[in-house]
Amino acid sequence: MTHATAPSPDAPLEASATIDGAEWWRSAVIYQIYPRSFADANGDGMGDLAGITSRLDALKQLGIDAIWLSPFFASPQKDAGYDVSDYCAVDPLFGTLEDFDTMTDAAHARGIRVIVDLVPNHSSDQHEWFQEALAAAPGSPERARYIFRDGRGEHGEEAPNNWDSVFGGPAWTRTANADGSPDQWYLHLFDSSQPDFDWSNADVRRMFRDVLRFWLDRGVDGFRVDVAHGLVKADGLPDFTPPVGAGSMGGQAADEEPVTAPYWGQEGVHEIYREWNQVLAEYDGQRVLCAEAWVDPLEKMALWVRSDEMQQAFNFPYLETPWNGPALRTIIDESLAAFSSVGAPSTWVLSNHDVVRHASRLALTAENPQGHGIGPETGDRPDRELGLRRARAASALMLALPGGAYIYQGEELGLPEAIDLPDEARQDPTWFRTSGERYGRDGCRVPIPWEADAPAYGFSETGASWLPQPEDWGPYARASQSGDADSTLELYSRALWLRSTHQLGLGAIEWHDAGDDSILWFSNGPITVVANTGVTDAVVPTPLRDATRILASSPHDEGTLPADTTAWFLTP
Ligand code: GLC
């Protein structure tokens, strides 16, 4: 189904615009652009800022409110740009600051806000401060900006503590003096090329306030804050062994007692965000901070979005909830309760550049911890048809919920994970740090298809692509789906249009009982949503029999709600 009248404004954005008096971010749909893989204007196989500018109309048509760009800053690209060597420079791979300004202006002119990624937990080892620290002596002010420690053992030959890196292997690397003799160790919660800053250091705090102002001065509407639960480490850096089953970023299984690791979710981070809140307040309009904080339980995560801290936090517990009626109902209720207890909107997210795409993930049958990924040798190969069917149903459910929603580029095309990437193409540090034991995240980062028959599916004119694209992606291309009422693209754009028209993002939900807990049934204003998470077809609840079905994630007969299907009804 197509529609000619998308509701979002054609006029340039008013900096302080509100919808019915509510700040824009309370109900926004934010589209994550992974710049490496969105659109490549110069044909080198790496997406770039000019490519984004050239494709903004497609996002306008989709009906999103804002874009968030993963890092495009100067970086040796050891962790795809999450290893920043200069926070105020654009990496030549992606273009120039002028290209950034052009893109921002073009987005704003289309009524689309712009959020950039801030990576404050660590820099690249090529950052000038880290290079200065290496050249300086133990105990120097240069070393005090990072976390250098003497090793344990008689000759300092053992790491200062037992912490592991999120990407596998130890979280410490020993440095060497100019003459080759061993020196101190430095902490890196991620790759060894990503040394952690010491956030008790005044230089570090000052630099990041300046970085915020640098991008705010250029007109950005906000920041997604990378590893926003990791900046502060517990005093004394005590040994810690995470509980079995804990995610490497700190998330835990729902049935486990939450444990606070000495490097995740420390109380001291909040003071930093209160300071940043004040920096944003120096600027006109409604600027936002959005936390990537893998903290459990949700009541704790809500501390990140108290009114004097950040505006949003990614709801990872929701992302990690299986396609299961009771589990979804519980997490939706808990999310709304936790975030509203501090006056913040809930957010919803199903995919991003760190997790298996939900069109594949929802058809996995075994545990797949965040960051491990799937590849050719993974025994549990997801059924593509089932995965897509569930993904469409899950997205249609998510987009009916009140609060903010995040969409990861390509999910609106129903893209599956690229499972069969050749080993030699893989780039995620996880793959290297675990000697191939974990595939990592490359499978969700493959450049997206625009046109079925163009080189690199229209990603780049030359056909170059930094990760190889699967040969069977033609039908997923945006142009192949556009105008086809049954396509995933049109499902998303219709859902977004209805969501905006009926202001579902600012709404509230009321549950109804279908007498079968695999059926989720709720209303949000004039829209009633029914999702069948079960394995058998169900009938549409009697009160909805005469209501108009205005959206459905799968084909259906009148009166039927097939398995793995979400439908929306207009119930005035
Ligand atoms: C965040 C990013 C991830 C990156 C890591 C280290 O989790 O989303 O891609 O590898 O931080 O910066």
Side-chain angles (χ1 to χ4, degrees):
M1 204 168 307
T2 50
H3 49 83
T5 49
S8 41
D10 275 309
L13 281 173
E14 290 272 331
S16 58
T18 57
I19 302 169
D20 276 6
E23 295 97 337
W24 67 272
W25 43 266
R26 291 189 174 272
S27 57
V29 175
I30 301 177
Y31 183 95
Q32 180 188 357
I33 291 183
Y34 195 64
R36 300 170 72 92
S37 302
F38 187 71
D40 170 20
N42 68 1
D44 65 356
M46 180 65 66
D48 46 39
L49 293 168
I52 297 172
T53 307
S54 74
R55 294 289 194 177
L56 281 174
D57 283 332
L59 300 185
K60 168 79 185 156
Q61 219 172 1
L62 180 60
I64 49 108
D65 301 300
I67 49 178
W68 145 39
L69 271 63
S70 282
F72 50 82
F73 316 109
S75 161
Q77 304 290 323
K78 292 277 171 52
D79 183 23
Y82 282 94
D83 49 322
V84 181
S85 54
D86 183 344
Y87 289 86
C88 297
V90 171
D91 195 288
L93 268 183
F94 302 111
T96 61
L97 269 177
E98 205 184 352
D99 292 333
F100 177 78
D101 293 341
T102 305
M103 187 218 66
T104 304
D105 290 347
H108 284 166
R110 288 167 175 76
I112 297 174
R113 309 208 184 230
V114 177
I115 293 173
V116 298
D117 218 308
L118 186 76
V119 189
N121 179 68
H122 45 265
S123 69
S124 157
D125 60 359
Q126 299 306 306
H127 192 283
E128 66 170 335
W129 277 6
F130 192 71
Q131 290 300 313
E132 285 170 15
L134 287 178
S140 61
E142 287 83 358
R143 287 215 171 168
R145 293 166 177 153
Y146 292 90
I147 303 180
F148 279 85
R149 293 289 183 275
D150 293 333
R152 297 199 275 205
E154 201 180 331
H155 306 288
E157 68 279 12
E158 285 169 34
N161 70 22
N162 73 345
W163 297 357
D164 281 336
S165 146
V166 169
F167 296 155
W172 294 91
T173 291
R174 194 169 195 185
T175 60
N177 295 307
D179 64 3
S181 59
D183 190 9
Q184 287 189 297
W185 299 70
Y186 66 89
L187 177 70
H188 52 86
L189 289 183
F190 295 88
D191 188 47
S192 55
S193 64
Q194 295 166 296
D196 281 47
F197 283 115
D198 184 337
W199 270 87
S200 65
N201 183 276
D203 289 351
V204 172
R205 291 201 174 207
R206 192 174 323 109
M207 176 179 75
F208 276 94
R209 287 195 301 269
D210 290 348
V211 171
L212 290 172
R213 291 193 183 103
F214 178 87
W215 293 104
L216 288 164
D217 285 341
R218 296 197 100 83
V220 304
D221 299 284
F223 302 86
R224 174 264 187 190
V225 180
D226 192 62
V227 198
H229 57 320
L231 277 51
V232 172
K233 281 78 183 176
D235 283 346
L237 312 180
D239 278 348
F240 178 74
T241 304
V244 179
S248 53
M249 286 292 277
Q252 279 166 232
D255 53 356
E256 284 164 11
E257 273 300 299
V259 180
T260 301
Y263 37 84
W264 298 140
Q266 298 293 307
E267 179 55 30
V269 297
H270 296 294
E271 192 192 321
I272 300 168
Y273 304 136
R274 283 194 279 272
E275 199 174 284
W276 291 1
N277 179 294
Q278 291 304 305
V279 174
L280 267 62
E282 294 165 11
Y283 289 79
D284 287 344
Q286 301 156 1
R287 320 274 177 145
V288 297
L289 294 168
C290 179
E292 187 217 14
W294 297 75
V295 268
D296 285 316
L298 273 158
E299 293 77 44
K300 183 163 181 190
M301 187 191 282
L303 301 178
W304 269 249
V305 287
R306 286 175 288 190
S307 62
D308 59 349
E309 294 193 32
M310 299 200 179
Q311 281 67 30
Q312 290 193 340
F314 290 99
N315 189 342
F316 294 123
Y318 181 73
L319 182 152
E320 291 182 321
T321 301
W323 179 239
N324 168 287
L328 283 164
R329 181 167 172 164
T330 303
I331 196 72
I332 291 169
D333 280 342
E334 286 179 0
S335 305
L336 293 169
F339 287 112
S340 67
S341 73
V342 293
S346 185
T347 64
W348 313 101
V349 58
L350 289 166
S351 278
N352 65 30
H353 65 294
D354 292 327
V355 301
V356 174
R357 282 186 175 278
H358 68 282
S360 298
R361 192 180 71 239
L362 294 176
L364 287 173
T365 53
E367 280 285 300
N368 186 274
Q370 185 275 326
H372 286 214
I374 51 177
E377 306 286 320
T378 308
D380 186 19
R381 206 176 170 88
D383 175 326
R384 208 184 255 205
E385 206 182 310
L386 177 68
L388 179 58
R389 189 179 172 89
R390 286 194 178 154
R392 290 168 54 107
S395 300
L397 174 66
M398 172 177 91
L399 293 172
L401 295 171
Y406 280 82
I407 295 176
Y408 175 49
Q409 67 177 39
E411 70 169 77
E412 78 279 21
L413 306 174
L415 276 191
E417 187 82 353
I419 298 175
D420 296 307
L421 291 175
D423 290 358
E424 57 283 6
R426 293 194 181 272
Q427 310 217 4
D428 186 343
T430 309
W431 166 257
F432 299 102
R433 290 184 63 86
T434 62
S435 307
E437 198 187 303
R438 298 185 203 161
Y439 284 105
R441 303 159 295 173
D442 292 317
C444 64
R445 298 176 173 182
V446 172
I448 60 172
W450 294 88
E451 289 100 24
D453 300 322
Y457 302 116
F459 164 69
S460 75
E461 272 179 20
T462 57
S465 172
W466 69 280
L467 283 173
Q469 298 164 298
E471 280 172 15
D472 56 359
W473 271 15
Y476 294 101
R478 190 170 306 258
S480 311
Q481 299 194 36
S482 184
D484 171 357
D486 296 332
S487 71
T488 304
L489 178 65
E490 295 299 345
L491 176 72
Y492 267 75
S493 63
R494 181 159 179 78
L496 292 181
W497 179 68
L498 289 167
R499 178 186 164 87
S500 168
T501 303
H502 298 288
Q503 299 200 1
L504 302 185
L506 294 178
I509 64 171
E510 186 192 339
W511 290 104
H512 309 285
D513 183 12
D516 169 352
D517 63 8
S518 62
I519 311 272
L520 296 169
W521 177 15
F522 64 83
S523 347
N524 180 352
I527 304 290
T528 296
V529 176
V530 192
N532 180 1
T533 65
V535 291
T536 51
D537 293 357
V539 288
V540 170
T542 318
L544 295 173
R545 291 281 162 74
D546 296 326
T548 314
R549 191 177 321 217
I550 51 174
L551 178 137
S553 67
S554 328
H556 53 84
D557 296 327
E558 184 110 348
T560 305
L561 187 67
D564 298 319
T565 299
T566 298
W568 295 14
F569 296 83
L570 193 59
T571 45

